[in-house]
PDB file of all heavy atoms in Angstrom:
ATOM      1  N   GLU A  28     -50.695 -61.820 123.146  1.00  0.00           N
ATOM      2  CA  GLU A  28     -51.819 -60.984 123.552  1.00  0.00           C
ATOM      3  C   GLU A  28     -51.481 -60.117 124.762  1.00  0.00           C
ATOM      4  O   GLU A  28     -52.300 -59.287 125.186  1.00  0.00           O
ATOM      5  CB  GLU A  28     -53.038 -61.854 123.872  1.00  0.00           C
ATOM      6  CG  GLU A  28     -53.551 -62.632 122.659  1.00  0.00           C
ATOM      7  CD  GLU A  28     -54.730 -63.525 123.001  1.00  0.00           C
ATOM      8  OE1 GLU A  28     -55.239 -63.423 124.143  1.00  0.00           O
ATOM      9  OE2 GLU A  28     -55.134 -64.332 122.139  1.00  0.00           O
ATOM     10  N   ALA A  29     -50.298 -60.312 125.317  1.00  0.00           N
ATOM     11  CA  ALA A  29     -49.899 -59.579 126.519  1.00  0.00           C
ATOM     12  C   ALA A  29     -49.139 -58.310 126.151  1.00  0.00           C
ATOM     13  O   ALA A  29     -48.535 -58.196 125.093  1.00  0.00           O
ATOM     14  CB  ALA A  29     -49.020 -60.459 127.407  1.00  0.00           C
ATOM     15  N   GLU A  30     -49.194 -57.344 127.062  1.00  0.00           N
ATOM     16  CA  GLU A  30     -48.387 -56.130 126.953  1.00  0.00           C
ATOM     17  C   GLU A  30     -47.121 -56.333 127.774  1.00  0.00           C
ATOM     18  O   GLU A  30     -47.181 -56.653 128.963  1.00  0.00           O
ATOM     19  CB  GLU A  30     -49.163 -54.924 127.480  1.00  0.00           C
ATOM     20  CG  GLU A  30     -50.358 -54.525 126.629  1.00  0.00           C
ATOM     21  CD  GLU A  30     -49.956 -53.625 125.463  1.00  0.00           C
ATOM     22  OE1 GLU A  30     -48.895 -52.975 125.554  1.00  0.00           O
ATOM     23  OE2 GLU A  30     -50.706 -53.576 124.477  1.00  0.00           O
ATOM     24  N   LEU A  31     -45.964 -56.143 127.133  1.00  0.00           N
ATOM     25  CA  LEU A  31     -44.686 -56.298 127.815  1.00  0.00           C
ATOM     26  C   LEU A  31     -43.833 -55.064 127.558  1.00  0.00           C
ATOM     27  O   LEU A  31     -44.064 -54.317 126.602  1.00  0.00           O
ATOM     28  CB  LEU A  31     -43.942 -57.545 127.324  1.00  0.00           C
ATOM     29  CG  LEU A  31     -44.674 -58.887 127.380  1.00  0.00           C
ATOM     30  CD1 LEU A  31     -45.290 -59.207 126.017  1.00  0.00           C
ATOM     31  CD2 LEU A  31     -43.732 -60.016 127.780  1.00  0.00           C
ATOM     32  N   ALA A  32     -42.843 -54.878 128.396  1.00  0.00           N
ATOM     33  CA  ALA A  32     -41.908 -53.769 128.207  1.00  0.00           C
ATOM     34  C   ALA A  32     -40.516 -54.212 128.633  1.00  0.00           C
ATOM     35  O   ALA A  32     -40.310 -54.629 129.773  1.00  0.00           O
ATOM     36  CB  ALA A  32     -42.339 -52.548 129.016  1.00  0.00           C
ATOM     37  N   ALA A  33     -39.568 -54.157 127.706  1.00  0.00           N
ATOM     38  CA  ALA A  33     -38.166 -54.453 128.027  1.00  0.00           C
ATOM     39  C   ALA A  33     -37.543 -53.208 128.650  1.00  0.00           C
ATOM     40  O   ALA A  33     -37.673 -52.107 128.116  1.00  0.00           O
ATOM     41  CB  ALA A  33     -37.408 -54.867 126.779  1.00  0.00           C
ATOM     42  N   LEU A  34     -36.879 -53.398 129.767  1.00  0.00           N
ATOM     43  CA  LEU A  34     -36.299 -52.287 130.531  1.00  0.00           C
ATOM     44  C   LEU A  34     -34.829 -52.532 130.793  1.00  0.00           C
ATOM     45  O   LEU A  34     -34.417 -53.650 131.108  1.00  0.00           O
ATOM     46  CB  LEU A  34     -37.033 -52.137 131.871  1.00  0.00           C
ATOM     47  CG  LEU A  34     -36.418 -51.187 132.903  1.00  0.00           C
ATOM     48  CD1 LEU A  34     -36.526 -49.735 132.442  1.00  0.00           C
ATOM     49  CD2 LEU A  34     -37.073 -51.374 134.267  1.00  0.00           C
ATOM     50  N   ASP A  35     -34.039 -51.464 130.683  1.00  0.00           N
ATOM     51  CA  ASP A  35     -32.645 -51.535 131.108  1.00  0.00           C
ATOM     52  C   ASP A  35     -32.276 -50.248 131.836  1.00  0.00           C
ATOM     53  O   ASP A  35     -32.646 -49.154 131.399  1.00  0.00           O
ATOM     54  CB  ASP A  35     -31.698 -51.721 129.924  1.00  0.00           C
ATOM     55  CG  ASP A  35     -30.250 -51.890 130.369  1.00  0.00           C
ATOM     56  OD1 ASP A  35     -29.912 -52.999 130.826  1.00  0.00           O
ATOM     57  OD2 ASP A  35     -29.475 -50.929 130.289  1.00  0.00           O
ATOM     58  N   PHE A  36     -31.586 -50.399 132.946  1.00  0.00           N
ATOM     59  CA  PHE A  36     -31.021 -49.275 133.687  1.00  0.00           C
ATOM     60  C   PHE A  36     -29.513 -49.250 133.505  1.00  0.00           C
ATOM     61  O   PHE A  36     -28.860 -50.298 133.483  1.00  0.00           O
ATOM     62  CB  PHE A  36     -31.286 -49.404 135.186  1.00  0.00           C
ATOM     63  CG  PHE A  36     -32.695 -49.152 135.630  1.00  0.00           C
ATOM     64  CD1 PHE A  36     -33.272 -49.942 136.608  1.00  0.00           C
ATOM     65  CD2 PHE A  36     -33.437 -48.113 135.091  1.00  0.00           C
ATOM     66  CE1 PHE A  36     -34.565 -49.712 137.031  1.00  0.00           C
ATOM     67  CE2 PHE A  36     -34.728 -47.866 135.504  1.00  0.00           C
ATOM     68  CZ  PHE A  36     -35.295 -48.671 136.480  1.00  0.00           C
ATOM     69  N   GLU A  37     -28.960 -48.054 133.408  1.00  0.00           N
ATOM     70  CA  GLU A  37     -27.529 -47.861 133.649  1.00  0.00           C
ATOM     71  C   GLU A  37     -27.422 -47.059 134.940  1.00  0.00           C
ATOM     72  O   GLU A  37     -28.213 -46.132 135.168  1.00  0.00           O
ATOM     73  CB  GLU A  37     -26.859 -47.123 132.488  1.00  0.00           C
ATOM     74  CG  GLU A  37     -26.861 -47.888 131.173  1.00  0.00           C
ATOM     75  CD  GLU A  37     -26.141 -49.217 131.238  1.00  0.00           C
ATOM     76  OE1 GLU A  37     -25.125 -49.312 131.955  1.00  0.00           O
ATOM     77  OE2 GLU A  37     -26.597 -50.173 130.578  1.00  0.00           O
ATOM     78  N   THR A  38     -26.485 -47.443 135.779  1.00  0.00           N
ATOM     79  CA  THR A  38     -26.397 -46.855 137.118  1.00  0.00           C
ATOM     80  C   THR A  38     -24.967 -46.452 137.440  1.00  0.00           C
ATOM     81  O   THR A  38     -24.024 -46.793 136.715  1.00  0.00           O
ATOM     82  CB  THR A  38     -26.890 -47.863 138.175  1.00  0.00           C
ATOM     83  OG1 THR A  38     -25.975 -48.970 138.231  1.00  0.00           O
ATOM     84  CG2 THR A  38     -28.284 -48.380 137.842  1.00  0.00           C
ATOM     85  N   THR A  39     -24.821 -45.742 138.542  1.00  0.00           N
ATOM     86  CA  THR A  39     -23.472 -45.378 138.989  1.00  0.00           C
ATOM     87  C   THR A  39     -22.755 -46.552 139.640  1.00  0.00           C
ATOM     88  O   THR A  39     -21.571 -46.482 139.938  1.00  0.00           O
ATOM     89  CB  THR A  39     -23.518 -44.209 139.988  1.00  0.00           C
ATOM     90  OG1 THR A  39     -24.329 -44.587 141.114  1.00  0.00           O
ATOM     91  CG2 THR A  39     -24.096 -42.955 139.337  1.00  0.00           C
ATOM     92  N   GLY A  40     -23.467 -47.633 139.876  1.00  0.00           N
ATOM     93  CA  GLY A  40     -22.926 -48.822 140.516  1.00  0.00           C
ATOM     94  C   GLY A  40     -24.061 -49.705 140.969  1.00  0.00           C
ATOM     95  O   GLY A  40     -25.229 -49.459 140.646  1.00  0.00           O
ATOM     96  N   LEU A  41     -23.748 -50.733 141.739  1.00  0.00           N
ATOM     97  CA  LEU A  41     -24.758 -51.701 142.145  1.00  0.00           C
ATOM     98  C   LEU A  41     -25.040 -51.694 143.637  1.00  0.00           C
ATOM     99  O   LEU A  41     -25.683 -52.607 144.147  1.00  0.00           O
ATOM    100  CB  LEU A  41     -24.319 -53.106 141.705  1.00  0.00           C
ATOM    101  CG  LEU A  41     -24.106 -53.282 140.194  1.00  0.00           C
ATOM    102  CD1 LEU A  41     -23.660 -54.705 139.893  1.00  0.00           C
ATOM    103  CD2 LEU A  41     -25.374 -52.939 139.423  1.00  0.00           C
ATOM    104  N   ASP A  42     -24.595 -50.675 144.337  1.00  0.00           N
ATOM    105  CA  ASP A  42     -24.867 -50.545 145.766  1.00  0.00           C
ATOM    106  C   ASP A  42     -26.184 -49.798 145.927  1.00  0.00           C
ATOM    107  O   ASP A  42     -26.270 -48.588 145.675  1.00  0.00           O
ATOM    108  CB  ASP A  42     -23.731 -49.787 146.450  1.00  0.00           C
ATOM    109  CG  ASP A  42     -23.886 -49.762 147.968  1.00  0.00           C
ATOM    110  OD1 ASP A  42     -25.023 -49.886 148.458  1.00  0.00           O
ATOM    111  OD2 ASP A  42     -22.865 -49.606 148.659  1.00  0.00           O
ATOM    112  N   LEU A  43     -27.223 -50.505 146.347  1.00  0.00           N
ATOM    113  CA  LEU A  43     -28.543 -49.885 146.459  1.00  0.00           C
ATOM    114  C   LEU A  43     -28.594 -48.768 147.494  1.00  0.00           C
ATOM    115  O   LEU A  43     -29.437 -47.887 147.424  1.00  0.00           O
ATOM    116  CB  LEU A  43     -29.590 -50.942 146.811  1.00  0.00           C
ATOM    117  CG  LEU A  43     -30.037 -51.833 145.652  1.00  0.00           C
ATOM    118  CD1 LEU A  43     -30.971 -52.915 146.156  1.00  0.00           C
ATOM    119  CD2 LEU A  43     -30.710 -51.010 144.574  1.00  0.00           C
TER     120      LEU A  43
END
Side-chain angles (χ1 to χ4, degrees):
E28 297 178 8
E30 292 276 337
L31 306 97
L34 170 69
D35 184 77
F36 287 140
E37 295 300 324
T38 67
T39 58
L41 301 179
D42 187 335
L43 283 175

